[in-house]
Each structure stands twice: as C-alpha cells, then as structure tokens.
Amino acid sequence: MKYVFLCLALGLLSSSCKKDQEPVPEVIEKEPKPTAAFTFAQVNQNDPFTFKFDNKATNFKETRWSFGDDSTASVVTPTHTFLNTGTYVVKLVALNGEGYWAQREETIRISAANLIKVTAKPAGAGKLNLAFTTAMSVAKTEWKDGYESNGQVLSTEKTIDLQFDPGTFKEVQLKLTTSKGSIAALNLFVSELGIIKDITTFENSFSVSHENSGGPDAGEGSKKMIDGDITTKLFVGGVGNNMSWQFAYQSPQILNGYSMTSGNDSPDRDPKSWKVEGSIDGETWITVDQRTNEFFTERRQSRTFLFTNKTPYNYYRFSMTELNGGSNFQMSEIRVLEFPQ
C-alpha cells in the first residue's frame, strides 16, 4: 500500500511540473491594424464652404469623422458644409473589427478676407462709396452698422454710400450669406478717405514707461488704453512729462495716423505736446510726427492725427513732452492706424 501511494504522489508531482513549463500560446491577430489618412477638396468655386473628403484609410471596418464645428459623420467618404468662416480641425478615426484604431487630422481655414474683396472710393464732401466682389454665390447681402450681430442693417445692395463728419471713423460689417446658409462676415474700419488698417492690437507687444499702481490689468491699467472702449482709461499718477508707450511689431508696419481719446475727468491730465518715433531695430529712432499745444475740448473726445509716412517700422514710440497741467496722466484710448495713401 505504501508503494502504491508513493507512486501516485510522484505521478502528481511530475504532472504538475510539466504543466508549469508549458509555453503561453501565441496570440495571433486575426485582422491587420488600420491606418488613417484622407484628402479634401472644395466642391465648387462658388461654394467655398462645402468640401468633399476622400477617405484613404486602410484595414478598417468603421470610420468616425468630426469636422471641428460640433458636427460628425460615420460614412466612408462624406461631404460637409461649414456654416461660418474660421479654422477647423477635421479628424478621421478608422477602426478595425478587433477594436484597434488610427487617427488623422487636417486643418481647413476659411477666411472672409480671402473670399471677399472690398473697394473704397472717396466721393468728396465726407462721402465714401464701398463695393464688393466675390466668387461666392450670394443669396443675401447685408451692410451693417458696427461689428455686433444685432447691428443696424444699412443696405442690402452690392454697394453702399457712407457719410462722415470730419475726422471720424465708422465700423462697418459686410455680411454675405450663401443659399446653404453659410456666412462670411468682413469687418471694415473706414473713414471718408477709405479703408483703414487698425494695427493697435495686430501682432505686436504693447508696453508703457510708467504703469498704473495696480498693474496693466487693473481697472485703470495700461491695457485699458488699447481695449477699444472709450469708457475705460489708463491713469498714472505723478508721471510729469515723462510718459511714453511703445508698439513692437512682429513684422514692419506703416503707421501714418492715430487717434487719441481724452479721459473722463480732469482736463489737466490730457496730453498737450508729444512726438511719435519709428525704429527698425529699437535703438535708432526717427521722428515721424510731432505735435505741440493740442487741446481736447471735451471729455472722452476722440481726435485723429494724420501725417505722411511710407516707411514700415518694427517699433513705434509715443512720448508725451508736456501735459495740459499738473503731473498726472490719463487717456481713454489710443488707436494706431494705416490710412490709404
């Protein structure tokens, strides 16, 4: 009996050892892994918002598309219409039957400035004519007062005549709608001289020689002077005649005009005399405009100053050489501009 038990025990031990040494079975993929790729093209020249997407993915059983405008599709080769201008990141995800996936992204940019060309013709006596051309098929035209969506519609014709008071500007929006409901809106800053390029916040860094005690983001900090709102302002106390500010552009710009808006109180804080300088390297400066004995007769009054300059500079510096009185400085708004020449 003892002999039989020993043999059984040895048999069990031997069996256990063999089981532990068996190799793990190799997992063999049933399907190749997918790849994701696609191309796209505008369907018609007169419809710059509609694109066809050609799926170049491989080894897939399911596709998922997202177009960057909160819309999606699951068909293999979709056609999609965007409803607004903008930059859209289109994504394709390709999946095989085992759950493996691959993803591809492409960027589509639709710019109103590339779709619409506006011409401006001064007509004298404070009048300006605006007209547009476009390859788009336009179902609806709107010239609107201001850039806001609820701005007053001034005209629905292809051209419009505007009337200006001396030295004033207008913000006008041209809104074109296609038969599919896609919208291209072009914002224009104009005067009786034509279309103005506002480079106040265009690809530059803005700095001041003396900052508000609360910093640039304070209620009366330097950012308020370029926020496009004349009800806000920059205030700096005790600066005397030493206040200056500078625009440093990523690429050279032509500046031949600017507007200044006075603060809401204390006329003695207004600038009275100043100079504007341009520089290529930020070290050598050329005076492009100089003013003396200038006065703002009202609070929050915007005044425009034009001068001749055809040289593009990387830097522009405004230096206050005299205040209207006292040593405190304030200004509601400064806009630096390129007028048509």
Side-chain angles (χ1 to χ4, degrees):
M1 293 296 293
K2 291 181 180 180
Y3 175 79
V4 173
F5 177 80
L6 179 61
C7 289
L8 289 172
L10 290 172
L12 290 173
L13 180 62
S14 174
S15 175
S16 176
C17 291
K18 288 181 179 179
K19 184 175 182 181
D20 290 343
Q21 293 174 355
E22 288 179 359
V24 177
E26 181 181 356
V27 177
I28 300 175
E29 295 181 0
K30 297 180 180 179
E31 297 182 26
K33 292 180 179 179
T35 67
F38 65 92
T39 59
F40 59 90
Q42 185 177 313
V43 174
N44 293 307
Q45 183 180 5
N46 62 3
D47 182 8
F49 294 90
T50 300
F51 291 82
K52 182 179 180 181
F53 297 87
D54 190 4
N55 193 335
K56 301 292 185 180
T58 62
N59 306 322
F60 67 91
K61 290 188 176 180
E62 181 182 352
T63 56
R64 299 173 184 172
W65 295 86
S66 62
F67 299 102
D69 60 354
D70 296 327
S71 58
T72 60
S74 57
V75 298
V76 175
T77 303
T79 297
H80 182 70
T81 299
F82 297 95
L83 295 180
N84 291 283
T85 56
T87 299
Y88 301 97
V89 178
V90 180
K91 298 180 183 179
L92 165 65
V93 177
L95 303 94
N96 70 4
E98 295 183 328
Y100 289 99
W101 59 274
Q103 178 175 296
R104 179 71 176 183
E105 296 183 358
E106 297 287 353
T107 300
I108 293 178
R109 295 179 176 85
I110 308 174
S111 168
N114 292 334
L115 300 178
I116 310 169
K117 300 302 179 185
V118 175
T119 56
K121 294 182 179 180
K127 293 181 180 180
L128 180 73
N129 174 265
L130 296 176
F132 74 89
T133 58
T134 181
M136 294 169 49
S137 179
V138 178
K140 184 179 180 181
T141 299
E142 292 178 303
W143 296 91
K144 303 178 72 175
D145 182 18
Y147 303 155
E148 301 298 326
S149 59
N150 59 352
Q152 178 187 358
V153 177
L154 303 174
S155 174
T156 58
E157 302 298 324
K158 192 171 183 178
T159 66
I160 186 173
D161 291 318
L162 300 174
Q163 183 71 48
F164 296 85
D165 294 328
T168 62
F169 312 110
K170 292 183 186 293
E171 292 179 345
V172 178
Q173 183 183 83
L174 172 59
K175 181 180 176 181
L176 303 181
T177 306
T178 70
S179 59
K180 294 181 180 179
S182 301
I183 295 173
L186 189 62
N187 293 334
L188 304 169
F189 191 44
V190 294
S191 75
E192 61 181 301
L193 299 176
I195 299 173
I196 304 164
K197 182 180 179 181
D198 186 343
I199 58 174
T200 308
T201 57
F202 175 74
E203 296 182 350
N204 77 84
S205 58
F206 175 71
S207 60
V208 295
S209 61
H210 297 76
E211 184 59 83
N212 180 271
S213 59
D217 293 305
E220 294 184 344
S222 59
K223 289 185 179 180
K224 300 300 182 182
M225 195 166 66
I226 58 170
D227 65 356
D229 184 355
I230 66 169
T231 66
T232 63
K233 71 177 182 181
L234 165 66
F235 171 79
V236 183
V239 73
N241 299 325
N242 299 313
M243 185 66 192
S244 66
W245 57 86
Q246 177 178 291
F247 297 87
Y249 289 92
Q250 296 177 18
S251 58
Q253 302 293 322
I254 294 177
L255 172 64
N256 58 4
Y258 54 93
S259 69
M260 290 181 175
T261 304
S262 59
N264 63 322
D265 57 17
S266 303
D268 61 348
R269 300 173 179 177
D270 294 341
K272 181 179 179 181
S273 301
W274 62 85
K275 65 178 177 179
V276 184
E277 301 168 285
S279 175
I280 299 293
D281 56 10
E283 297 181 2
T284 302
W285 296 88
I286 304 296
T287 299
V288 294
D289 187 52
Q290 191 159 3
R291 306 284 168 162
T292 58
N293 296 320
E294 298 287 350
F295 297 96
F296 292 83
T297 59
E298 300 176 18
R299 298 301 82 206
R300 292 176 177 162
Q301 178 188 22
S302 297
R303 296 188 59 198
T304 303
F305 303 91
L306 303 179
F307 58 92
T308 300
N309 174 44
K310 296 184 178 181
T311 303
Y313 291 103
N314 290 83
Y315 302 85
Y316 287 97
R317 182 171 65 190
F318 289 70
S319 300
M320 304 298 101
T321 56
E322 185 181 5
L323 299 182
N324 201 30
S327 61
N328 297 333
F329 171 82
Q330 71 175 5
M331 182 174 292
S332 288
E333 193 73 16
I334 174 74
R335 308 303 296 181
V336 289
L337 312 166
E338 180 186 348
F339 282 83
Q341 299 186 74

